[in-house]
Amino acid sequence: MQTYNVRIASTKQEMTRHGDLLFPIGVYNTDLKKNIMGYMPLHWHDEVQFALVIKGSVIFTLNNEQFEVSEGNGIFINSGIPHSAKPIDNEDSQYICIDISPYFLADRSFIIYEKYVDRLLVSMSHILFNKDIDWQKNILDKIQKLYDEYQEEKVGFEITIKITILEILREI
């Protein structure tokens, strides 16, 4: 699924609901040339985001710093971080985008949230993933797996997605 015209409030908060209350995950295949503006404008959201570039190269801008992410590589963008995505030189660029509520990772009252999720949320704005580094390649493969599982909707896909997200968290 792709949102072609992302609604953004004057505060730059994205107004898209990513998933629902029972399964707060948004999974998208973002083809930048199909967006109404040809790129993803500056915005932020409460969800953490994992992106895997599957075609071309994308410039992700976070806090006025630019990162070129080429095909096969990816990026993690933390909750509340203003960011945008543009194709390089108007080339045909596409990426898988997974937006996940931090509360889906673990309930705030559990030790997993305290020891891992909260630490991640306060320690960094982003992580770049390079397909040539083994542990990062593992995460990129898991992002692809999340996308595939979500698209196929086989029985138990929600459980597989939760397990895979926790595996990513463990890798980080």
Side-chain angles (χ1 to χ4, degrees):
M1 179 173 108
Q2 176 167 345
T3 304
Y4 300 103
N5 187 15
V6 177
R7 293 183 318 116
I8 299 172
S10 61
T11 61
K12 299 295 183 196
Q13 182 176 12
E14 181 181 354
M15 305 307 292
T16 306
R17 180 177 207 135
H18 301 291
D20 57 40
L21 292 174
L22 296 176
F23 199 62
I25 295 176
V27 177
Y28 310 97
N29 182 335
T30 302
D31 186 341
L32 289 171
K33 71 178 180 187
K34 291 183 180 178
N35 278 13
I36 196 166
M37 300 172 81
Y39 63 94
M40 183 62 69
L42 184 69
H43 67 285
W44 65 272
H45 37 75
D46 292 328
E47 295 81 9
V48 298
Q49 183 174 94
F50 289 92
L52 167 61
V53 177
I54 57 173
K55 187 175 185 184
S57 293
V58 178
I59 295 205
F60 289 90
T61 302
L62 289 74
N63 294 327
N64 297 318
E65 192 173 356
Q66 293 188 333
F67 303 93
E68 182 177 332
V69 181
S70 59
E71 189 171 322
N73 295 311
I75 189 168
F76 162 80
I77 303 169
N78 212 335
S79 170
I81 301 297
H83 59 282
S84 64
K86 294 182 179 181
I88 294 178
D89 298 326
N90 292 322
E91 70 177 35
D92 192 9
S93 299
Q94 211 171 339
Y95 62 94
I96 291 171
C97 180
I98 316 279
D99 293 333
I100 307 164
S101 168
Y103 306 115
F104 183 72
L105 299 174
D107 186 281
R108 285 184 133 171
S109 62
F110 294 144
I111 195 162
I112 291 172
Y113 190 92
E114 182 181 314
K115 285 181 74 174
Y116 304 104
V117 177
D118 192 50
R119 187 175 298 165
L120 177 66
L121 294 175
V122 299
S123 67
M124 63 190 68
S125 64
H126 69 282
I127 304 170
L128 293 170
F129 299 118
N130 184 320
K131 65 185 174 190
D132 297 324
I133 299 172
D134 286 342
W135 73 270
Q136 295 177 15
K137 171 88 167 78
N138 289 340
I139 290 173
L140 294 166
D141 290 344
K142 286 177 181 15
I143 294 169
Q144 181 68 58
K145 179 180 178 179
L146 287 172
Y147 179 80
D148 294 342
E149 288 288 334
Y150 191 87
Q151 297 306 310
E152 293 171 10
E153 290 189 358
K154 292 180 181 173
V155 173
F157 81 99
E158 299 94 341
I159 295 169
T160 303
I161 285 174
K162 177 80 173 203
I163 290 168
T164 305
I165 290 168
L166 290 174
E167 288 173 346
I168 291 171
L169 185 60
R170 182 181 62 213
E171 290 277 347
I172 290 173

